[in-house]
Amino acid sequence: MGGGVRMLFQGILMDCFQKINQERTSSSVYNLLIGKKAIQTIQDARFYHIADYYGIYPGLAKDDYRIQLNQLIELDYLREDNEKKIQITKKGKSWLASCKTNLDGFAGAKYANVMETFKQRLLLFIQTITNTSKKQYLFIPISDNHEAEQFVKGFYKQYKQRSKEVLQQLYKELEKALSGLTDLEASMFVDRITSYYSYGSSLQQLSQDYQLSIQDCFLILQKGFYRLLRVQEHDNDYLMLKHFTKNLYISDTPLSQTAQHTLRLLQKKHSFKEIVQIRRLKANTIQDHLVEIAMHEMEFPFFDYLNSTIYEEIKEVVHSKQSYRLKEIKNNVNPDISYFQIRLALVLYNK
Amino acid sequence: MRIIHLEEALYRHFNYDFFRQGQKEIISDVLCGKDVLGVLPTGSGKSICYQLPAKLLDGITIVVSPLISLMIDQVKELKAAGFKDVIALNSFLPFMEQQRALNNLDSYRLIYVSPEWLQKRKHQNYLKQLPIKLFVVDEAHCISQWGHEFRPDYQRLHEVIEALNHPPVLALSATATPDVQTDIIHSLNKPDMKRHIYPMDRNNIAFCVEEVENDQEKLDRIVEMTKSYFIPVLIYFTSRQIAEETALSLSVKLPKRNIAYYHGGMEASERLRIQQQFMNNQIDIICCTSAFGMGINKSDIRLVVHYHLPLQIESYIQEVGRAGRDGESSVGVILYHKGDFRLSANMVKNELPSMEVIDRLITTILTCQSTQVDLPSPEQLHILLDINEGAARFIQRQLQKYGLIKDNEWFIDEKKWKQVRESIVQYLEKRQLYKNDKLNELYRWVQTGDCLRKTLYQPFQDGFGDPTDQCCSNCGFDWNKWVPESLFKIPEASSPINWRKKLQKVLNMEEV
């Protein structure tokens, strides 16, 4: 067990703060990890190239996050300034450089809409098929999720006659996919699986068995699932795994429900003013939606809201100040340029 | 009328070959439409008394159950056992699911509800549309203020029963003294209720009390006891943190055993894993709080240790009753030292609010109202006051009772408060005295020199059955003579490198 795995959670925090480079408060990274569907969080994920960590730890408790952060501050890897912004120290940088390779393997933003459902479907299916193939039809399912239950029911009906074959294929695919991980990561993933008369380990148990923190265990498991999602998308050998993503929409980042509503109005060629009226929302809120839409949609009419002079001016400041901080940019451009325009310009700049 | 062979139905629906004591008598009366009070010992299969009728009656059975987690566990188990048309309704159900359920209530046979859920007029209106053939009050001792788990919402059940046009009522409890039984019948307003009272003593459990000097000695004793017995063990704690810490220290001292902890602070899915591993004998020792055990049907738990005692005898009987449900010889051990009483007394104190806290709350609210500052809702009051949830619930109920809280809104004015304050003071004192008495009763029992079996069951019944094995430490318990069957194999050490082998095993491919 290398130091890299042991410090996965801390490593991710450090990586985020290094990339954000003192431009955001500590809670921005918390929001990123839990996958908050706020426009600011989604924008941060993009701008600072930390989208891979978006939503990788949905259940993370704020207290646990703060404890880790304080530890890193105590170690003098990070420093918190008066505005609650976090800065990485020299000591922190060299520590991070030594464990960097282990931080790969996440694809949070990409699979944000898919991950939980995929996980539950797969695990519930394994529990179901391993039990029924042993003629055990009564067991307590690991997941109460209605959608996953329905999915597994349908899938199971289709394959119950060929359970032996299915298990073999599943083994083949899992074995191949997990071989791309370290033995420790693969082993932990297998220990978590619930099957016939063998309930998978809890996080506390994994933490004890592998002598790693609970957070590191959770993240290592997540890494395993991201690996499965990736291989089934890029390689045709994973027919079984592919099946578990059926009807799930893989997008770069999730578009919130309310922004989708605004998008539909936009597509019907309503003007900004009309949209504000129709939706009875504040202009600010609709602007938030537009920025969100601008990030997702291939064709967004940026220049309905900007002109090229404004865009060039903003770009100039980003270059000279080496910063994405809205306030800093705002202070250095023509006062007539709005925050909304700056945000749109930044989206365009990163496209 | 159709003649039902109950044994046959029992086998067909639940796969049991025969009824346990009391079940058949209660079920027969229930099927005849009588109102029944059933008092059966813990672990004797109380739930079959309404689950089988639910299958046989031509209509719907409603079960009021005080603990949401217990309710959810039971529904899960029933579903796993093939009883599909069952649902649990409570305030934790997501809105959409609740709506879906409410619109399809007639498609269920068995509906579990929490007492709070049942109080809502809207919910009652849904139930009124249904052909309800049986109304079950589970853990009926919660009705009585002299029961150890008094729940004020239970006292309003007679209103609900009336609103539902008096379906037959079945009240069940495992721990109801004669006083409590009378209270139940009175509160439900069913004077003709038929009583089926069965002795609650468990003749296959031996009781041992061991006094030690300190907590370290408790740990040492547990290690000694569990080292030589490879059997399923439960160890009860009142503190989540100490349960966790002890599980970890035991794991270090007993590296060949599988030890886990379990408490209400854990995430539901993680709790389920531990529970099921214990059922499958993947774990042999669990350090837990009182959150563990309800709704768990593991019949071969051999040893129940109390590292901490609960706060009254009834809870102890319930917890130790999880041992030996299969009738085989089992042991309940209490480890205690002189400092424990103070710890328990403190917990009792914190279960109720002090009058100063209530006064402070009222002052705060009155000030907020006059200065038009936003108030947290009554349901949030434990956050406002930083007191435990039990104490907060006490305040809520009292203020509700006098109309100072209505529908989760404050209705407080100074005049009204002055009128009711004295009644609340008196009631609070009464409850404090009662809880202290219960605690003293428990510790008197622990310290008695008399037979532990005899004194434990005395408040509940006359006499008790002869123990099938040894009786108790006061009658001379000898560990050397206790030889339960060993269950566990020593787990093989596995290294991460062998994950492929594990994966094969997990996917039923070990033959390959």
Side-chain angles (χ1 to χ4, degrees), chain B residues 85-96:
Chain B
D85 28 14
V86 48
I87 190 167
L89 297 174
N90 54 63
S91 44
F92 283 91
L93 210 59
F95 180 77
M96 291 300 283

Side-chain angles (χ1 to χ4, degrees), chain A residues 165-338:
Chain A
E165 242 172 276
V166 168
L167 283 166
Q168 264 166 13
Q169 179 64 21
L170 208 50
Y171 175 78
K172 225 169 81 189
E173 293 183 21
L174 286 176
E175 194 274 333
K176 191 173 167 199
L178 296 178
S179 294
L181 301 169
T182 66
D183 283 336
L184 179 138
E185 290 164 342
S187 172
M188 201 184 271
F189 191 91
V190 175
D191 285 348
R192 181 76 167 165
I193 297 175
T194 294
S195 67
Y196 173 68
Y197 273 96
S198 156
Y199 240 79
S201 299
S202 71
L203 288 172
Q204 280 97 350
Q205 288 172 324
L206 292 177
S207 156
Q208 255 174 286
D209 293 348
Y210 291 86
Q211 294 294 303
L212 294 167
S213 74
I214 284 183
Q215 287 98 353
D216 285 352
C217 291
F218 179 81
L219 289 167
I220 290 170
L221 292 172
Q222 290 288 84
K223 212 166 154 177
F225 285 106
Y226 286 120
R227 165 111 196 130
L228 301 190
L229 278 169
R230 216 171 355 207
V231 293
Q232 62 81 30
E233 194 183 345
H234 297 298
D235 188 333
N236 287 331
D237 281 355
Y238 296 92
L239 294 173
M240 206 72 192
L241 291 181
K242 197 171 253 81
H243 215 101
F244 293 103
T245 60
K246 205 173 166 188
N247 298 331
L248 297 179
Y249 171 63
I250 298 178
S251 75
D252 270 359
T253 36
L255 195 58
S256 65
Q257 289 283 336
T258 174
Q260 282 176 27
H261 196 163
T262 301
L263 174 61
R264 279 195 294 275
L265 295 174
L266 204 62
Q267 283 162 344
K268 285 183 191 156
K269 304 279 178 224
H270 285 291
S271 72
F272 180 80
K273 264 204 179 123
E274 286 167 352
I275 296 177
V276 171
Q277 271 168 4
I278 295 171
R279 298 221 51 198
R280 292 164 198 251
L281 291 171
K282 286 190 191 144
N284 272 336
T285 311
I286 301 297
Q287 286 176 351
D288 279 348
H289 294 169
L290 292 180
V291 175
E292 198 180 335
I293 292 164
M295 284 193 288
H296 294 286
E297 294 299 306
M298 293 307 280
E299 288 163 35
F300 183 83
F302 284 98
F303 291 100
D304 286 2
Y305 310 93
L306 295 169
N307 62 43
S308 55
T309 331
I310 296 178
Y311 178 61
E312 289 305 322
E313 190 178 340
I314 295 170
K315 220 165 98 180
E316 196 63 27
V317 174
V318 171
H319 275 285
S320 65
K321 296 285 168 193
Q322 281 296 301
S323 170
Y324 289 134
R325 284 173 74 178
L326 298 179
K327 202 167 175 191
E328 181 140 20
I329 298 170
K330 175 87 170 128
N331 289 339
N332 287 284
V333 294
N334 187 324
D336 292 341
I337 298 178
S338 69

